[in-house]
Amino acid sequence: MEYDTIIIGAGLSGLVAAYHAAERSRKVALLDMEGPQSLGGQAWWSLGGLFMVDTPEQRRLGLRDSRDLAASDWFGSAQFDRPEDAMPRAWAEAYLEFASGPMRDYLHDIGLRWFPVVGWAERGGGHANGHGNSIPRFHVTWGTGTGVVKPYADRVQAHPNITLHFRHRVTSLIIEGGTVKGVEGDILADDSAERGQSTNRTVTGQFSYTSETTAITTGGIGGNHDLVREHWPSDRLGPPPIHMISGVPDYVDGQMAQQAKAQGAAAINEDRMWHYTEGLKNFDPIWPNHGIRILPGPSSMWFDAEGARMEAPCFPGHDTTSTLKRILQTGHDHSWFILTQSIIEKEFALSGSEQNPDLTSAKWRAVLNERLGKGATQAVEAFKDKGEDFVVAQDLDTLIAGMNQITPQAPLDPAKIRTQIEARDAQLTNKVSKDAQINAIRAARKYIGDKLIRVAKPHKILDPAHGPLIAVRLNIITRKSLGGLHTDLTGACLRPDGTPLPGLFAAGEVAGFGGGGYHGHNALEGTFLGGCIFSGKTLGDTL
C-alpha cells in the first residue's frame, strides 16, 4: 500500500500528527503494535496536566506569569551543557512561544477544559535562577489524560484521510538511495487484553507500506528496565537502582528508536531521564510491575533508607532529580514518608486517570463528593488499606516496628527517627522557624490554591489529634525519557553527522519531546503531554 505519510505509534503525538497531516489532505497511515483498545498510548493513563503560561486560570488565582519568567525557569532547570543541545534548546524556545501564546486557545477550540485550580509542580531547589517553577503552571485537564486524548482520537477515527492499522509491528524502515521510503514488519494476532495489559506477539503475516514521509512517534523506554539501566547516568546519579517499578505499560520498550538508530538515525542525550521517587506498588496491577506515583504536598517528613531526614531541596514536590540522587547515595533504592492522617487527607493525590475517577468523569458533582468529604480520596484510602508500602499506627514505636517489618534489610533506629520528628515539631511553637521545610509549607499556603485544597495547616507530626501516624515506603518508578532521536525544528531526523536522514521524522517522547531532549536535565511537569501535542502538531504541519 502507498500513502503520503506513515506514522508509527498511535499515542498522543502520533494522533496529533496524523490529524494535522490529514487536515492538509495528506493520505495518512497510522500504525500501532497494540490493538484499538490502546489508542492514545501512555497519555490516556496520565493526570492530564499541561504546562501553559499566562492563562486565565492563573490570572483568576492572582498569579502573574510571563514568557520571560517561564523561560528563566525552563533554562534554569534544563541546564543545557552539551554541544548537541543546540536543537533541544531551539525546541524549548519554540515550545515556550507556543505555551505562552496560542496553546490554550488552540486546545480550547478542540474541546479541552481545565480544573480551575492550577497545580504547583516541581517547586525547585531554592535559587531563583535554578531548577523549578516559580509559580503554578500545571493545568489539569477536565477528563484527565482521557480528556486530552479524546478530541484527537475522535477526529482521527472519523477522518477520511487516515487509515488505522492496529497490531502492526514495524521491524524495518525501507531505505532506497539513502531516503526512507516506507516501512515493513509483522502483523500480530488480535488480542482482547484490556488497555495496558500485556498482549501476545504471535506473528500472523507481514506488511510493506510505502510513503513519501515516515514518522516515528512510539514513546520512550520506561517499560524496558534493561534499556533504562543501559542508559542510566551513573556519573551523575550513581548506580541504577536494583529494584524499580514501572509507571508505564511494557509496550513502552524503545524498540522502534533502536531500529531507527540501527538504520542511520542519531539519538542524543539518552542518559537524561525522568524517574520519580514516590512510587507505590499497585495492589491491583494492570501491567507488569505496575507502579503508581504519589503527587505529594510539601508536609510529609521524608527520610532516606537509613532514617536520616532529607535536607533541602529534597522536600516532597520540589526537586525530583536531586532527590533521586540523594536516595541512591545510601546504597538502597527506597525511602520513607512519615505523615499524619490530616496530611494524607489534604496532600496526597495519585497520578493517573484511573486513580482520579472524579476528575476523569469531568463532573463537578463527582469532584465535590470525592474531595470535600471525610478522609482522603477513595483511591488513596484504598492504597492505605491494601497497599504493601503503607504502615498505619497510633504511636511512633509501633509505626517504626511496622516499617522495619517491610524493609528488614535496612532497619531503622526508633530513637533516631523520634529525635528528628520531635525537633521538627518543636519548630512549630512560634510563627517563625529555622526549619526549611516548615518555611516552605508556610510559603506554599500563601498561594490560595494550595491553602484551599493542597497543603495541610502546619501541625505537629506527633500530635494525636491529627493521627493516626502513617509511613509510606517509596520506590523508584520509571517514567519518561528526556533524550531521544535528534530532530531539527520541523521534526526531521538527523544523522550522526547532523545532516537530515531524508524521509524520516519523529515527535513526542521518542524525540525527547523535540530535538532530542528539549527538557535538558530536568522537567517542569506538564511538559510531557504539552510536548507531545506541540511536537505532534509541528510534525503534522510538516509531513
Side-chain angles (χ1 to χ4, degrees), residues 398-426:
T398 304
L399 187 80
I400 296 172
M403 296 163 72
N404 286 337
Q405 286 183 351
I406 293 178
T407 55
Q409 76 281 10
L412 300 167
D413 179 354
K416 180 179 180 180
I417 299 292
R418 181 178 291 276
T419 297
Q420 294 172 92
I421 295 177
E422 289 178 344
R424 178 264 187 201
D425 283 357

Side-chain angles (χ1 to χ4, degrees), residues 468-481:
L469 291 169
I470 302 165
V472 188
R473 178 182 59 181
L474 305 172
N475 306 273
I476 308 300
I477 180 170
T478 62
R479 190 61 67 86
K480 298 296 181 184
S481 308

